[in-house]
Amino acid sequence: MIRNENITRAVAKTWQSKPTVEGAGVHLKRAFGFSEVPQLDPFLLLDAFRSENPEDYKRGFPWHPHRGIETITYLLEGEVEHGDSLGNRGIISAGDVQWMTAGGGIIHQEMPKGDGKGQMWGFQLWSNLPARDKMMAPRYRELTRDQIPQVTTEAGAMVRVICGEVEGVRGPVREIVTDPEFLDVSLPAGKSFAHKTKSDHTLFAYVMEGEGYFDPRHSPLAGENYLDKARSRAFAEGTVVLYGSGHEIVVATDKRTVRFLLVSGTPLKEPIAWHGPIVMNTQEQLRIAFEEYQRGTFVKHDQA
């Protein structure tokens, strides 16, 4: 049987992010979380936060533990002060990325500060770790905006490559166990973005701004089909687009621009035991984690 290596992924499912409150009172939008597990495996949670009112975010995320996951913070406006139980301290600024592997255990805090106008805009993604790496040593990948390459494709897309590869340019975040890709794609009006994907990866997009056509069957590229169907298939800000199987995606715009996150990773296909900021494989492992947290033995200092 001849295998088509260029099958374009169709959209499998879409939904809207929902307002929620987290931390000590931070107002944000949850793109997905516990109720969507495991359809985005290995990804667990995506929160988007954007506000010009410091009352929405200034209470922040005081000291809390993590184990068994990676947290990826991507900031577009404002600043976030952070610190942890291993003695790390710093500031995430506009355009920066913090890729934190909690591994066997870390306690940290994240306190949004906003910019001079009080603006905050960013995202936090949680990615699961496989059972064999749940208790690995914690580590950070901290990248400033100048360390993240930007590619302008021949078709006119502008892509910040945080993790993965676009037109031969690789992102600086590498050697992650779930082999993820994390792209920030901006597409002007009347342009398209085609991108090869690994067929065994879970793949989703999150629309940050504007409006785009994420399914090539119903886009300006589809000719007559577009006139009949496409306008009802344009996805706008706050939409999660989950893709089906295939080896490529094609996103197009008509009269409006679009900016979106494009994220993929290898599904783990393992059991999930999740409570709050800790994600393990069994309820017994969760019990041990919270007991260690109460006893003060949660952080394994010999891993630092």
Side-chain angles (χ1 to χ4, degrees):
M1 182 175 69
I2 297 175
R3 184 179 178 186
N4 185 349
E5 295 295 335
N6 296 302
I7 298 175
T8 302
R9 290 182 184 239
V11 172
K13 188 176 182 180
T14 67
W15 62 88
Q16 285 292 309
S17 56
K18 297 179 180 179
T20 189
V21 179
E22 278 292 351
V26 177
H27 293 259
L28 46 81
K29 286 188 175 181
R30 177 144 299 160
F32 58 83
F34 186 82
S35 61
E36 284 74 37
V37 169
Q39 60 185 313
L40 289 109
D41 181 20
F43 306 108
L44 299 162
L45 176 147
L46 176 63
D47 283 342
F49 45 94
R50 189 174 191 178
S51 178
E52 297 179 356
N53 180 7
E55 292 298 321
D56 287 341
Y57 58 78
K58 69 178 185 180
R59 295 174 183 84
F61 303 89
W63 295 99
H64 59 280
H66 282 297
R67 177 177 286 179
I69 64 172
E70 297 183 294
T71 66
I72 300 98
T73 304
Y74 181 35
L75 202 61
L76 299 179
E77 293 177 352
E79 293 184 341
V80 175
E81 291 184 0
H82 68 91
D84 68 33
S85 52
L86 301 179
N88 298 301
R89 297 287 186 276
I91 295 176
I92 308 170
S93 300
D96 296 352
V97 172
Q98 182 192 78
W99 199 296
M100 185 187 80
T101 303
I106 200 166
I107 301 171
H108 76 156
Q109 66 172 350
E110 300 156 300
M111 305 303 290
K113 299 299 180 184
D115 62 13
K117 298 179 180 179
Q119 299 180 112
M120 278 294 306
W121 185 18
F123 305 87
Q124 187 166 94
L125 174 70
W126 290 13
S127 182
N128 204 3
L129 286 169
R132 67 178 184 273
D133 296 308
K134 287 287 189 188
M135 298 299 291
M136 69 184 291
R139 66 181 182 183
Y140 285 91
R141 315 284 181 91
E142 294 191 324
L143 305 167
T144 64
R145 65 177 302 130
D146 294 336
Q147 294 175 302
I148 300 170
Q150 180 167 300
V151 177
T152 300
T153 69
E154 290 185 7
M158 292 164 285
V159 187
R160 298 193 79 211
V161 188
I162 296 162
C163 187
E165 184 174 330
V166 175
E167 296 195 349
V169 176
R170 292 186 65 193
V173 178
R174 304 177 186 181
E175 298 179 357
I176 303 295
V177 294
T178 51
D179 189 26
E181 191 159 62
F182 192 108
L183 309 176
D184 174 352
V185 183
S186 297
L187 196 56
K191 300 294 183 179
S192 64
F193 173 67
H195 182 63
K196 298 291 184 184
T197 66
K198 295 182 179 180
S199 61
D200 61 338
H201 275 199
T202 299
L203 178 71
F204 75 89
Y206 181 78
V207 184
M208 292 191 274
E209 289 186 308
E211 177 183 272
Y213 299 85
F214 289 78
D215 194 320
R217 300 170 301 179
H218 309 293
S219 85
L221 305 177
E224 294 180 1
N225 288 337
Y226 165 65
L227 297 176
D228 296 334
K229 303 174 182 178
R231 294 190 185 279
S232 64
R233 299 301 298 272
F235 302 127
E237 181 179 344
T239 305
V240 181
V241 180
L242 179 62
Y243 281 97
S245 60
H247 300 269
E248 182 183 53
I249 64 146
V250 179
V251 180
T253 53
D254 189 6
K255 296 179 181 179
R256 295 184 63 190
T257 64
V258 71
R259 186 177 184 183
F260 59 95
L261 297 178
L262 187 66
V263 182
S264 71
T266 306
L268 302 180
K269 300 178 182 179
E270 295 179 349
I272 293 174
W274 179 0
H275 185 74
I278 298 173
V279 184
M280 303 302 289
N281 296 108
T282 69
Q283 291 298 317
E284 176 65 11
Q285 291 169 338
L286 271 185
R287 184 189 64 78
I288 291 171
F290 280 100
E291 282 187 358
E292 289 183 346
Y293 183 61
Q294 293 297 323
R295 292 200 305 262
T297 60
F298 183 80
V299 176
K300 312 303 181 185
H301 291 283
D302 59 330
Q303 294 181 347

mmCIF file of all heavy atoms in Angstrom, residues 132-149:
data_model
loop_
_atom_site.group_PDB
_atom_site.id
_atom_site.type_symbol
_atom_site.label_atom_id
_atom_site.label_comp_id
_atom_site.label_asym_id
_atom_site.label_seq_id
_atom_site.Cartn_x
_atom_site.Cartn_y
_atom_site.Cartn_z
ATOM 1 N N ARG A 132 9.080 7.414 33.924
ATOM 2 C CA ARG A 132 10.514 7.203 34.175
ATOM 3 C C ARG A 132 11.233 8.499 34.561
ATOM 4 O O ARG A 132 12.333 8.468 35.125
ATOM 5 C CB ARG A 132 11.184 6.608 32.932
ATOM 6 C CG ARG A 132 11.232 7.551 31.739
ATOM 7 C CD ARG A 132 11.953 6.957 30.541
ATOM 8 N NE ARG A 132 12.070 7.909 29.461
ATOM 9 C CZ ARG A 132 11.160 8.119 28.520
ATOM 10 N NH1 ARG A 132 10.032 7.403 28.539
ATOM 11 N NH2 ARG A 132 11.340 9.015 27.577
ATOM 12 N N ASP A 133 10.622 9.661 34.259
ATOM 13 C CA ASP A 133 11.279 10.942 34.512
ATOM 14 C C ASP A 133 10.556 11.795 35.553
ATOM 15 O O ASP A 133 10.938 12.939 35.781
ATOM 16 C CB ASP A 133 11.390 11.745 33.206
ATOM 17 C CG ASP A 133 12.271 11.064 32.183
ATOM 18 O OD1 ASP A 133 13.404 10.712 32.529
ATOM 19 O OD2 ASP A 133 11.817 10.885 31.033
ATOM 20 N N LYS A 134 9.519 11.240 36.172
ATOM 21 C CA LYS A 134 8.757 12.023 37.152
ATOM 22 C C LYS A 134 9.649 12.591 38.263
ATOM 23 O O LYS A 134 9.434 13.701 38.732
ATOM 24 C CB LYS A 134 7.667 11.148 37.793
ATOM 25 C CG LYS A 134 6.487 10.838 36.896
ATOM 26 C CD LYS A 134 5.582 12.033 36.705
ATOM 27 C CE LYS A 134 4.296 11.654 35.989
ATOM 28 N NZ LYS A 134 3.504 12.860 35.643
ATOM 29 N N MET A 135 10.639 11.813 38.682
ATOM 30 C CA MET A 135 11.475 12.220 39.817
ATOM 31 C C MET A 135 12.852 12.703 39.387
ATOM 32 O O MET A 135 13.794 12.718 40.174
ATOM 33 C CB MET A 135 11.581 11.061 40.802
ATOM 34 C CG MET A 135 10.253 10.635 41.408
ATOM 35 S SD MET A 135 9.437 11.943 42.363
ATOM 36 C CE MET A 135 10.563 12.077 43.765
ATOM 37 N N MET A 136 12.979 13.153 38.131
ATOM 38 C CA MET A 136 14.266 13.674 37.665
ATOM 39 C C MET A 136 14.609 14.971 38.392
ATOM 40 O O MET A 136 13.759 15.592 39.037
ATOM 41 C CB MET A 136 14.225 13.920 36.157
ATOM 42 C CG MET A 136 13.328 15.064 35.717
ATOM 43 S SD MET A 136 13.206 15.254 33.915
ATOM 44 C CE MET A 136 14.867 15.810 33.528
ATOM 45 N N ALA A 137 15.866 15.362 38.333
ATOM 46 C CA ALA A 137 16.303 16.585 38.994
ATOM 47 C C ALA A 137 15.644 17.803 38.363
ATOM 48 O O ALA A 137 15.558 17.910 37.134
ATOM 49 C CB ALA A 137 17.821 16.709 38.902
ATOM 50 N N PRO A 138 15.157 18.750 39.167
ATOM 51 C CA PRO A 138 14.593 19.979 38.617
ATOM 52 C C PRO A 138 15.628 20.753 37.804
ATOM 53 O O PRO A 138 16.831 20.700 38.106
ATOM 54 C CB PRO A 138 14.180 20.769 39.862
ATOM 55 C CG PRO A 138 14.037 19.751 40.939
ATOM 56 C CD PRO A 138 15.072 18.708 40.636
ATOM 57 N N ARG A 139 15.150 21.486 36.797
ATOM 58 C CA ARG A 139 16.055 22.309 35.998
ATOM 59 C C ARG A 139 15.265 23.426 35.315
ATOM 60 O O ARG A 139 14.050 23.359 35.188
ATOM 61 C CB ARG A 139 16.782 21.481 34.945
ATOM 62 C CG ARG A 139 15.875 20.912 33.860
ATOM 63 C CD ARG A 139 16.651 20.078 32.859
ATOM 64 N NE ARG A 139 15.788 19.573 31.803
ATOM 65 C CZ ARG A 139 16.188 18.773 30.818
ATOM 66 N NH1 ARG A 139 17.450 18.381 30.766
ATOM 67 N NH2 ARG A 139 15.336 18.375 29.888
ATOM 68 N N TYR A 140 15.980 24.453 34.867
ATOM 69 C CA TYR A 140 15.389 25.596 34.185
ATOM 70 C C TYR A 140 16.028 25.785 32.818
ATOM 71 O O TYR A 140 17.233 25.549 32.637
ATOM 72 C CB TYR A 140 15.630 26.892 34.968
ATOM 73 C CG TYR A 140 14.794 27.076 36.192
ATOM 74 C CD1 TYR A 140 15.238 26.642 37.428
ATOM 75 C CD2 TYR A 140 13.564 27.722 36.126
ATOM 76 C CE1 TYR A 140 14.490 26.827 38.568
ATOM 77 C CE2 TYR A 140 12.800 27.923 37.262
ATOM 78 C CZ TYR A 140 13.265 27.476 38.479
ATOM 79 O OH TYR A 140 12.514 27.668 39.611
ATOM 80 N N ARG A 141 15.224 26.220 31.867
ATOM 81 C CA ARG A 141 15.721 26.800 30.617
ATOM 82 C C ARG A 141 15.118 28.207 30.572
ATOM 83 O O ARG A 141 13.917 28.349 30.364
ATOM 84 C CB ARG A 141 15.269 26.017 29.393
ATOM 85 C CG ARG A 141 15.399 24.507 29.500
ATOM 86 C CD ARG A 141 16.820 24.040 29.346
ATOM 87 N NE ARG A 141 16.884 22.585 29.444
ATOM 88 C CZ ARG A 141 16.798 21.748 28.416
ATOM 89 N NH1 ARG A 141 16.599 22.222 27.203
ATOM 90 N NH2 ARG A 141 16.904 20.443 28.586
ATOM 91 N N GLU A 142 15.930 29.230 30.786
ATOM 92 C CA GLU A 142 15.434 30.602 30.768
ATOM 93 C C GLU A 142 16.004 31.320 29.554
ATOM 94 O O GLU A 142 17.220 31.385 29.359
ATOM 95 C CB GLU A 142 15.818 31.329 32.056
ATOM 96 C CG GLU A 142 15.128 30.731 33.279
ATOM 97 C CD GLU A 142 15.265 31.578 34.522
ATOM 98 O OE1 GLU A 142 16.331 32.193 34.722
ATOM 99 O OE2 GLU A 142 14.298 31.629 35.299
ATOM 100 N N LEU A 143 15.098 31.860 28.743
ATOM 101 C CA LEU A 143 15.488 32.472 27.473
ATOM 102 C C LEU A 143 14.959 33.890 27.400
ATOM 103 O O LEU A 143 13.773 34.139 27.660
ATOM 104 C CB LEU A 143 14.909 31.671 26.303
ATOM 105 C CG LEU A 143 15.256 30.184 26.269
ATOM 106 C CD1 LEU A 143 14.376 29.467 25.272
ATOM 107 C CD2 LEU A 143 16.723 29.999 25.921
ATOM 108 N N THR A 144 15.823 34.836 27.044
ATOM 109 C CA THR A 144 15.372 36.201 26.797
ATOM 110 C C THR A 144 14.866 36.303 25.365
ATOM 111 O O THR A 144 15.149 35.445 24.519
ATOM 112 C CB THR A 144 16.527 37.194 26.997
ATOM 113 O OG1 THR A 144 17.544 36.944 26.017
ATOM 114 C CG2 THR A 144 17.131 37.047 28.390
ATOM 115 N N ARG A 145 14.122 37.341 25.100
ATOM 116 C CA ARG A 145 13.523 37.507 23.764
ATOM 117 C C ARG A 145 14.578 37.495 22.666
ATOM 118 O O ARG A 145 14.336 37.008 21.552
ATOM 119 C CB ARG A 145 12.672 38.778 23.697
ATOM 120 C CG ARG A 145 13.444 40.087 23.863
ATOM 121 C CD ARG A 145 12.519 41.294 23.716
ATOM 122 N NE ARG A 145 11.848 41.281 22.424
ATOM 123 C CZ ARG A 145 10.541 41.438 22.274
ATOM 124 N NH1 ARG A 145 9.766 41.604 23.320
ATOM 125 N NH2 ARG A 145 10.001 41.436 21.078
ATOM 126 N N ASP A 146 15.792 38.023 22.948
ATOM 127 C CA ASP A 146 16.841 38.083 21.933
ATOM 128 C C ASP A 146 17.435 36.710 21.621
ATOM 129 O O ASP A 146 18.112 36.552 20.602
ATOM 130 C CB ASP A 146 17.964 39.025 22.384
ATOM 131 C CG ASP A 146 17.503 40.471 22.482
ATOM 132 O OD1 ASP A 146 16.517 40.827 21.794
ATOM 133 O OD2 ASP A 146 18.105 41.233 23.256
ATOM 134 N N GLN A 147 17.208 35.739 22.486
ATOM 135 C CA GLN A 147 17.726 34.391 22.261
ATOM 136 C C GLN A 147 16.764 33.521 21.453
ATOM 137 O O GLN A 147 17.116 32.395 21.097
ATOM 138 C CB GLN A 147 18.011 33.718 23.607
ATOM 139 C CG GLN A 147 19.135 34.360 24.396
ATOM 140 C CD GLN A 147 19.291 33.735 25.766
ATOM 141 O OE1 GLN A 147 18.353 33.721 26.587
ATOM 142 N NE2 GLN A 147 20.463 33.191 26.033
ATOM 143 N N ILE A 148 15.580 34.040 21.184
ATOM 144 C CA ILE A 148 14.575 33.265 20.458
ATOM 145 C C ILE A 148 14.563 33.711 19.005
ATOM 146 O O ILE A 148 14.224 34.868 18.708
ATOM 147 C CB ILE A 148 13.185 33.443 21.094
ATOM 148 C CG1 ILE A 148 13.210 32.975 22.552
ATOM 149 C CG2 ILE A 148 12.126 32.677 20.296
ATOM 150 C CD1 ILE A 148 11.960 33.326 23.329
ATOM 151 N N PRO A 149 14.933 32.836 18.069
ATOM 152 C CA PRO A 149 14.998 33.247 16.664
ATOM 153 C C PRO A 149 13.619 33.490 16.065
ATOM 154 O O PRO A 149 12.634 32.854 16.459
ATOM 155 C CB PRO A 149 15.687 32.062 15.980
ATOM 156 C CG PRO A 149 15.390 30.895 16.857
ATOM 157 C CD PRO A 149 15.328 31.431 18.256
#
